[in-house]
Amino acid sequence: MNELACLVQDTADRLAGRHTGAVVAGLAGGDVEIRGAGRTGPGGGVPGPRTLFEIGSVTKVFTSLVLARLALDGAVRLDEPLAEVLTGPAGGRAVVPVRGPEPVTLRHLASHTSGLPRLPRGMAVRSLLSPGTPDPYADCTAERVLDGLARTRLRSVPGRGFRYSNLGAGLLGLALAQRSGVGYEELVAREVCAPLGLADTCVRPDEERSARLAQGHTPGGRPVPGWNFAALPGMGALRSTAADLVLFLRAQLAAEREPDAPLSPAIALTREGRHRVNPFAWTHLGWLGHRLHAQQGGHLQVWHNGGTGGFRSFVAFDPEKRVGVVVLVNTRRSADPAGTALLRRLQNGFATTG
């Protein structure tokens, strides 16, 4: 194996467990390596490029890219108030909470600056952390979510501060689907998957894809059921493969150098603005970003992670050095440290310019 393949395989080997597995991808310039280790589940085989995993909150990047596509087409405006896009239970405008002079907009939802709480009304963080929890979002029907939204208090003035919100991303996906007149899954397929050639990224896998879906596990190795997010799929319902996510990262890396490539204008729009999170980090539309200290190389890192009851994911890239990583595991142990370490190795040893 070449050096890139060795680095990727070593990362996968270190992440794999007795009954669980990992698929890791490394991109460096024009080179790509995808390697798997471990098992898709008890009695399963080694996961590979076409094994499906729940990607959790990495879904939010897809939702924000859909927003950018629709904004460029004139179907929505980034600064359009959510109340003008989201339909309420009775068919009229949804009731959206207000705090201060500026309403909650689609841009606020995509950049986590809406002031909305992390979870829908009535949900507790502990419901997401209990081992073996069935889909905690199963009761989040549109009617319940919108009824709870009308009774929700914003935690901050919209546009003023960063507050990570699953609810906000879920409402964004719901609003975009309503405006487009199609379901969220169909909307992502039309606006993102088809242009980029993503064959397996979906919310509800068909029979053939289901046969390639890994089994999720708790850190202790207990199998857990999948999550579907009911009426809020835009926050975390997508399943995908390392092969698809490599194509997605290739498009991210090509956007600035190939403006005519598929989705390049929309990708550029998602990274056009920044909202400062702290002195070292910021949020784009969907993505999170930071620049390492000069003593650590000063590299740019754009990333998002995700997790459900039995899966963890990490996707990151550096558009300046043209490197990226994908890490997918079918256990609830974090993939972030391994993914970050691999990205830094690629930034330091596989950087390309021009």
Side-chain angles (χ1 to χ4, degrees), residues 57-335:
S57 287
V58 174
T59 299
K60 293 178 173 66
V61 178
F62 284 78
T63 303
S64 294
L65 185 53
V66 170
L67 169 62
R69 285 272 287 174
L70 295 181
L72 290 175
D73 287 344
V76 298
R77 293 177 287 107
L78 293 183
D79 294 315
E80 190 167 2
L82 173 63
E84 295 181 7
V85 185
L86 190 62
T87 302
R93 288 187 179 182
V95 178
V96 178
V98 176
R99 182 172 177 177
E102 188 173 353
V104 173
T105 68
L106 303 184
R107 185 193 302 271
H108 293 149
L109 298 176
S111 60
H112 298 284
T113 57
S114 67
L116 286 165
R118 184 180 183 93
L119 298 172
R121 188 180 179 88
M123 287 190 64
V125 173
R126 62 179 177 274
S127 70
L128 304 182
L129 302 179
S130 301
T133 300
D135 185 357
Y137 295 97
D139 294 331
C140 289
T141 63
E143 183 176 1
R144 288 187 176 183
V145 169
L146 294 173
D147 178 68
L149 177 65
R151 296 180 288 112
T152 294
R153 182 179 64 85
L154 296 182
R155 274 46 173 179
S156 59
V157 175
R160 294 283 181 85
F162 173 82
R163 181 180 292 271
Y164 190 87
S165 176
N166 283 326
L167 173 59
L171 290 171
L172 177 60
L174 178 60
L176 296 177
Q178 288 180 342
R179 173 62 64 86
S180 301
V182 298
Y184 175 81
E185 183 173 29
E186 183 180 345
L187 185 60
V188 172
R190 185 185 78 192
E191 299 295 336
V192 178
C193 297
L196 295 183
L198 309 187
D200 291 318
T201 300
C202 59
V203 173
R204 292 172 295 274
D206 57 21
E207 183 177 355
E208 190 277 328
R209 292 189 185 102
S210 294
R212 295 187 274 118
L213 179 63
Q215 168 66 61
H217 295 79
T218 67
R222 181 149 57 99
V224 296
W227 289 5
N228 291 302
F229 296 87
L232 300 175
M235 72 166 74
L238 287 177
R239 278 84 170 161
S240 192
T241 66
D244 271 12
L245 292 173
V246 163
L247 292 176
F248 189 74
L249 278 190
R250 280 189 181 276
Q252 298 290 331
L253 293 172
E256 296 178 5
R257 293 175 171 81
E258 302 174 29
D260 295 328
L263 302 194
S264 283
I267 289 169
L269 181 59
T270 63
R271 303 210 302 266
E272 190 174 277
R274 296 184 180 187
H275 181 90
R276 185 64 60 179
V277 176
N278 59 45
F280 311 100
W282 59 86
T283 178
H284 295 291
L285 299 182
W287 293 104
L288 302 169
H290 60 263
R291 189 174 290 279
L292 299 177
H293 191 278
Q295 294 180 347
Q296 297 176 304
H299 299 306
L300 173 63
Q301 296 184 341
V302 183
W303 62 280
H304 211 297
N305 59 5
T308 60
F311 294 85
R312 287 292 183 269
S313 58
F314 180 81
V315 178
F317 63 99
D318 178 347
E320 297 173 348
K321 301 298 182 182
R322 297 174 59 201
V323 297
V325 302
V326 174
V327 180
L328 303 172
V329 297
N330 61 329
T331 180
R332 215 172 60 210
R333 288 190 297 268
S334 176

